[in-house]
Amino acid sequence: MTEQHSHRFERGTDGPKVIVVGVDGSDSSLRAAAYAAGLARRQRALLAVVYVQPVLAAGAALGVPVAGTTDEIAEDLVAQIRESAERLKGIFEVRWEFHTFRGDPYNGLVTAADELKADAVVVGASEQAGHRIVGSVAVRLVKAGRWPVTVVP
């Protein structure tokens, strides 16, 4: 007598299919993107590169043209990432997409990971001293406990 098992897909058990990496132009976020790209290549996963544009209400209230500035940063990051991807074409075969979300980095990455159905999230370690007290985006993502989180120094 043979026993038949019904195989059900469980998220995260077959390796990641979608890897979200947060980038903000900092050195640690660019190292995180490089690490995530290698992981995506090895796992044959989709790499979702995410930039979260900050919403700076206080600056806007003072009449500072904040939206234009964050749009320029996003466009510059897109250009940098595309340029890097073009240079590496053929070396690494990685499927990737670039996404921009608005908000604070933590909530933006949570929204991105949810909407893109992420199996894993990769972020760079915080380069800001204050985050040791308040808690970095990486720590908050780990505490959320919804995806495996890799923090790249």
Side-chain angles (χ1 to χ4, degrees):
M1 221 184 210
T2 60
E3 192 177 305
Q4 292 210 356
H5 296 283
S6 65
H7 293 293
R8 231 180 62 215
F9 176 77
E10 291 182 36
R11 228 171 141 186
T13 57
D14 296 331
K17 296 296 175 219
V18 177
I19 299 169
V20 166
V21 61
V23 295
D24 62 6
S26 66
D27 288 343
S28 68
S29 79
L30 297 176
R31 285 191 296 271
Y35 178 88
L39 184 61
R41 178 184 55 80
R42 289 186 298 278
Q43 296 290 329
R44 293 182 177 86
L46 172 67
L47 177 64
V49 179
V50 173
Y51 170 63
V52 180
Q53 282 184 278
V55 176
L56 304 173
L62 297 171
V64 179
V66 175
T69 304
T70 59
D71 287 343
E72 286 172 26
I73 293 169
E75 287 171 19
D76 186 48
L77 278 171
V78 171
Q80 285 180 33
I81 291 163
R82 286 205 171 114
E83 184 180 307
S84 296
E86 286 300 316
R87 278 199 312 264
L88 295 175
K89 210 175 238 180
I91 297 173
F92 296 115
E93 289 301 320
V94 177
R95 293 181 302 122
W96 66 279
E97 302 172 347
F98 185 83
H99 299 271
T100 302
F101 290 82
R102 288 189 184 271
D104 68 274
Y106 170 75
N107 287 311
L109 285 172
V110 167
T111 300
D114 283 345
E115 287 185 14
L116 300 169
K117 297 181 176 37
D119 296 302
V121 178
V122 179
V123 291
S126 176
E127 295 180 352
Q128 296 179 3
H131 284 173
R132 292 188 190 108
I133 299 162
V134 177
S136 68
V137 171
V139 169
R140 291 175 68 195
L141 288 168
V142 169
K143 285 183 177 180
R146 294 166 61 185
W147 322 267
V149 177
T150 302
V151 182
V152 178

